[in-house]
Amino acid sequence: MKLDLKATRAAAAKIKFRTKAFIDGKFVKAQSGRTYDSINPATGRVLASIAACDEADVDKAVAAARRSFEKGVWAKRPPSERKRVLLQFADLIEKHLDELALLDCLDAGKPITDCLTMDLPDTVHCFRWHAEAVDKEYERVAPTGPDNVALIVREPLGVVGAILPWNFPIQMAAWKLGPMLATGNSVVVKPARQTSLSVLRLAELAMEAGLPEGVLNVVTGDGSRIGAALCRHMDVDAVAFTGSTEVGRQLLSYSAESNLKRIVLELGGKNPQVVLEDAPDLDYVAIQACNSVFWNMGENCSSGSRLIVHRKLKERLLAKMIEVSREWIVGDPLDPKTRIGPMIERSHMEKVLGYIESGRKEGARVVIGGKRTLERTGGFFVEPTIFDDVRPTMTIAREEIFGPVLSVFTFDTEAQAITLANDTPYGLTASVYTRNVNTAHRVARALRAGTVSVNCFSEGDITTPFGGFKQSGFFGRDKSIFAHHQYTELKTVWMQLVQGT
Ligand code: NAP
Ligand code: MG
């Protein structure tokens, strides 16, 4: 696809949407026949009518997953064959990269350039990486005495659910499905209500790659109904979730009330970016800091929404960031020049604008942005916004906004910076900027977060685990080989060597 607005619009107009649930290898209507509308957040108009599944559809999907698991068509396949299928799957995603990128762009309002250069390449790489790991992990023999042999092996859990957010629709599917499928589980996915289209297409490509029927199922619809049904299901062994801390908390109680299924939670964040007095070149820091908070419209759990900067650097850094913010062009997500698309839906835009209003009311000062924009398009756009003079007790300093809104704080000593940075119930990511390697190491270890980046904004890559401390997460991690552990059971096979037989 050529990278200009005319070409992306033409390609988008040609896309055929998959709108039914995907159960046991087939697209099927919801048993009730009901549908709901998925909206294009850049226009406010209906994009597609999607199957509105209910508990009966969840039961059907779980039964299909269970059958495939019991038959062993995937779980018992030799690892090298599972690897081959998953590599083929990754190749097919790459082959359909433009189409899948456009689906996320239309459905979630994500800038097409981000979809093409980040979300989709990351998705392909994620599946390839987990595929390659399948036949390279060895199991263990315990150091027993001479009369015994004890094998310590890992086995797939069985039927695993994945409940996904709307902010990185295909990429979050990959972060969950890569390790779930690599370890031999059968899966039921529940994409976010707003963004099911790319995940439905993904399921179809998985079948084309040779994944057996029933191993990957997708149910679409309302999370409070079918997400909850999945979590309460007596025949589901685990659910992995990315989304709000509030819903994550509910999932733990669903598990407690049902079969004590394993729950893996990736939740919100209110992530600090700490700029110490000896930070590197401030032009560079300004670019990184803006990227951290404005990337993906700030609809990002790892968004660096709190800038904690040394008092002596604040004015200079802020002036540079205001300049850099102007390069964050808000516009049609199909336009390759756009860096900030719309908020996911009207109610979310209103929530973000409500936070901006509360910041003003509580006495913080808007230095750039602060308003809805491009209203005539019908889309839900918000300007990139920076607040100065923020106090740590203000609502905008404490709650996850999930929009392009930055709060700026100052400090005088390293100890104050660390206290401010850790003053949050969350602990997902953090950044620290300094020229001194000793300081970098000391501060990185003092920050209570699952990923700390030094002199950049980063979530690491596929080789590094991703997840949160404190109320940002619960049990397990996405990405890396560590993600395989949470989708497997550890089994001991203890053998007595009987003499004389
Ligand atoms: P959410 O309500 O937590 O939704 C995440 C997923 O959970 C969706 O698939 C949702 O389905 C499903 N769900 C909702 N209620 C459920 C329930 N009772 N049981 C099981 N599953 C359920 O997040 P949201 O409404 O999309 O966004 C709200 C806030 O969450 C955001 O403003 C942001 O602060 C945070 N968030 C964080 C992340 C992250 O990456 N950590 C991602 C997205 C949102 P439906 O789509 O059908 O409701
Ligand atoms: Mg949508």
Side-chain angles (χ1 to χ4, degrees):
M1 184 170 61
K2 229 174 100 190
L3 262 189
D4 66 49
L5 183 56
K6 214 171 131 201
T8 56
R9 278 198 179 139
K14 285 201 200 118
I15 291 189
K16 192 172 144 238
F17 300 130
R18 275 70 175 169
T19 57
K20 294 178 184 159
F22 192 80
I23 300 179
D24 213 8
K26 286 180 281 299
F27 283 113
V28 288
K29 288 185 181 164
Q31 289 173 65
S32 67
R34 286 188 306 119
T35 61
Y36 71 96
D37 291 336
S38 187
I39 305 291
N40 178 345
T43 61
R45 287 199 289 273
V46 175
L47 191 62
S49 287
I50 313 275
C53 294
D54 63 21
E55 293 78 358
D57 303 296
V58 172
D59 280 345
K60 200 171 144 195
V62 171
R66 179 59 64 189
R67 272 196 308 278
S68 72
F69 185 72
E70 294 302 333
K71 278 196 227 152
V73 288
W74 182 244
K76 300 222 165 84
R77 244 355 220 279
S80 59
E81 284 187 32
R82 287 213 302 271
K83 176 179 82 171
R84 190 181 51 72
V85 172
L86 290 176
L87 286 176
Q88 174 69 13
F89 183 28
D91 288 350
L92 283 174
I93 297 168
E94 198 165 45
K95 187 173 154 199
H96 295 277
L97 196 122
D98 287 354
E99 178 195 350
L100 291 162
L102 284 165
L103 285 175
D104 271 3
C105 174
L106 293 170
D107 211 9
K110 291 171 71 82
I112 187 66
T113 302
D114 287 1
C115 298
L116 288 169
T117 62
M118 288 187 258
D119 298 52
L120 263 300
D122 184 279
T123 298
V124 173
H125 186 52
C126 177
F127 279 115
R128 276 200 186 125
W129 194 90
H130 288 290
E132 285 294 355
V134 175
D135 63 353
K136 294 173 190 64
E137 278 193 281
Y138 290 79
E139 295 178 321
R140 295 194 182 199
V141 179
T144 58
D147 295 334
N148 300 95
V149 175
L151 306 180
I152 302 171
V153 295
R154 286 201 172 268
E155 296 186 351
L157 292 177
V159 176
V160 174
I163 299 184
L164 305 178
W166 40 256
N167 53 348
F168 294 89
I170 197 165
Q171 197 178 348
M172 286 307 106
W175 282 20
K176 307 291 186 213
L177 288 174
M180 286 173 175
L181 293 174
T183 48
N185 294 284
S186 291
V187 184
V188 179
V189 184
K190 205 308 266 178
R193 193 171 15 94
Q194 299 89 340
T195 55
S196 302
L197 295 173
S198 60
V199 178
L200 288 168
R201 182 71 176 115
L202 203 59
E204 191 180 29
L205 293 176
M207 291 288 295
E208 196 180 325
L211 198 73
E213 286 167 8
V215 176
L216 174 55
N217 307 277
V218 183
V219 286
T220 48
D222 181 6
S224 62
R225 192 149 178 199
I226 57 171
L230 199 54
C231 294
R232 289 198 175 106
H233 207 290
M234 294 302 284
D235 205 23
V236 171
D237 300 295
V239 171
F241 167 88
T242 295
S244 62
T245 298
E246 201 186 337
V247 173
R249 215 182 282 283
Q250 279 176 290
L251 264 53
L252 291 173
S253 69
Y254 298 150
S255 167
E257 288 159 15
S258 57
N259 62 346
L260 294 179
K261 62 180 62 62
R262 211 174 264 193
I263 301 283
V264 183
L265 303 177
E266 297 292 345
L267 306 171
K270 191 72 189 172
N271 309 294
Q273 310 190 56
V274 179
V275 183
L276 296 172
E277 193 177 359
D278 69 340
D281 175 23
L282 289 189
D283 288 316
Y284 167 81
V285 177
I287 291 169
Q288 291 287 316
C290 284
N291 189 32
S292 170
V293 69
F294 299 142
W295 172 49
N296 209 53
M297 295 68 83
E299 291 176 337
N300 180 11
C301 49
S302 67
S303 150
S305 53
R306 292 184 301 139
L307 181 76
I308 299 172
V309 52
H310 193 279
R311 195 176 305 279
K312 284 191 189 148
L313 304 184
K314 206 243 346 230
E315 290 308 327
R316 267 193 301 141
L317 181 59
L318 205 51
K320 289 179 189 295
M321 286 182 71
I322 289 169
E323 281 315 301
V324 174
S325 303
R326 299 191 207 286
E327 293 164 20
W328 283 80
I329 299 166
V330 185
D332 182 348
L334 280 170
D335 187 339
K337 290 196 285 297
T338 292
R339 295 183 75 188
I340 299 192
M343 302 284 92
I344 187 70
E345 58 191 356
R346 178 179 296 281
S347 61
H348 187 60
M349 173 190 70
E350 283 163 1
K351 185 174 145 190
V352 171
L353 293 172
Y355 275 119
I356 294 174
E357 193 47 38
S358 89
R360 283 201 179 96
K361 276 202 186 120
E362 291 178 30
R365 185 166 57 86
V366 173
V367 294
I368 190 164
K371 293 189 302 296
R372 182 177 181 185
T373 181
L374 303 177
E375 210 166 333
R376 61 184 156 69
T377 61
F380 314 126
F381 299 88
V382 175
E383 292 173 336
T385 300
I386 300 179
F387 273 105
D388 195 5
D389 302 332
V390 183
R391 285 191 312 279
T393 49
M394 289 179 182
T395 311
I396 56 166
R398 306 215 63 80
E399 294 183 17
E400 184 179 44
I401 298 174
F402 232 61
V405 183
L406 179 73
S407 296
V408 180
F409 308 81
T410 50
F411 65 87
D412 297 298
T413 66
E414 183 185 302
Q416 279 173 356
I418 291 168
T419 304
L420 263 174
N422 286 337
D423 180 20
T424 166
Y426 295 110
L428 192 55
T429 63
S431 298
V432 53
Y433 293 87
T434 170
R435 287 173 196 267
N436 184 317
V437 69
N438 302 304
T439 312
H441 198 67
R442 185 173 62 241
V443 176
R445 296 305 288 257
L447 294 171
R448 303 270 300 147
T451 300
V452 180
S453 328
V454 176
N455 291 335
C456 64
F457 161 64
S458 177
E459 296 179 348
D461 68 12
I462 188 67
T463 66
T464 57
F466 182 82
F469 282 28
K470 300 196 274 182
Q471 292 182 39
S472 288
F474 181 87
F475 188 73
R477 291 288 186 262
D478 283 327
K479 303 195 298 171
S480 84
I481 210 71
F482 296 96
H484 288 213
H485 297 173
Q486 66 225 17
Y487 304 123
T488 55
E489 285 283 14
L490 206 53
K491 179 183 273 183
T492 298
V493 181
W494 180 266
M495 293 194 277
Q496 181 73 36
L497 301 180
V498 182
Q499 303 306 323
T501 55

